[in-house]
Amino acid sequence: MSKVIVGLSVSVDGFITGRDPGAGRGLGDAPMLFDWYFSGDTPSEVFDGFRLSEPSAGVFDALAGRVGATLAGRNTYDDSGWSTGGTPHPDAQLVVLSHRPAPQSNERQIFVSTGIEDAIAAARKAADGKDVGLMGGGVTTAALTAGLVDEVILHQVPILLGAGRRFFQELPEHVNLNLLAAVPAPGVTHLHYEVAR
């Protein structure tokens, strides 16, 4: 059965955006969270234009190759500019959890308004046996609260941002993680955890 995974670039103090993210402003004043995508000599085998360090390429491509559908919340969707039909993954359909209607109909995007369980079910169906990748703090927190996340990958960038959107929002109880791998790379450390059951 497919897994539900989350893997995001995050500052040491837990932010996935800088200050003032939003439509037309992207993820705010924190582009350095994603410098490791483009600062190496090894081209990604999954994402055109990504040139990573060798250790980062190994981690990134292994994870990206597993994803058959991506599930994002509406803030991430709007901030990332996908309303024109784009998706975060070149080969995966995008499912958006939102209480607001889709800005336009698009065959690579599915909108779900009935909660995290239905959104993950829709993403699993779209993934066709591959894994579901989560994007955004709200969706990740909702899925963790519902017990639906299998793996957490933190691409931790050595910076303290001090403000922005936090990766994890308040959880009703603690979630135990088991470390599967820690891969140091230039400008980022890849921390791969499984959620303890």
Side-chain angles (χ1 to χ4, degrees), residues 13-189:
D13 53 348
F15 294 100
I16 56 174
T17 74
R19 291 169 178 83
D20 201 28
R25 296 182 306 279
L27 301 178
D29 67 350
M32 72 289 296
L33 287 177
F34 307 98
D35 286 351
W36 64 275
Y37 289 164
F38 309 106
S39 60
D41 297 325
T42 306
S44 171
E45 295 179 6
V46 180
F47 280 70
D48 287 339
F50 281 32
R51 297 190 64 81
L52 308 109
S53 69
E54 187 175 339
S56 287
V59 170
F60 181 82
D61 283 347
L63 291 168
R66 293 171 51 184
V67 174
T70 304
L71 171 59
R74 187 60 184 261
N75 285 338
T76 300
Y77 175 85
D78 288 339
D79 292 352
S80 300
W82 296 322
S83 62
T84 58
T87 63
H89 192 289
D91 303 319
Q93 200 161 18
L94 174 63
V95 177
V96 181
L97 179 58
S98 176
H99 297 293
R100 291 175 279 149
Q104 64 183 17
S105 179
N106 181 301
E107 65 185 38
R108 290 204 60 210
Q109 298 178 352
I110 300 167
F111 274 67
V112 176
S113 63
T114 52
I116 191 67
E117 291 86 355
D118 290 342
I120 286 181
R124 281 190 195 276
K125 182 176 179 183
D128 196 26
K130 294 184 89 174
D131 291 340
V132 171
L134 303 180
M135 290 189 74
V139 162
T140 297
T141 301
L144 282 166
T145 299
L148 298 173
V149 177
D150 299 298
E151 296 175 20
V152 175
I153 301 94
L154 304 177
H155 305 293
Q156 191 176 62
V157 176
I159 189 168
L160 299 168
L161 290 176
R165 284 202 187 118
R166 292 204 172 272
F167 187 1
F168 299 105
Q169 298 169 8
E170 187 173 325
L171 292 165
E173 58 186 37
H174 66 274
V175 176
N176 291 320
L177 304 174
N178 298 320
L179 182 66
L180 299 177
V183 179
V188 64
T189 300

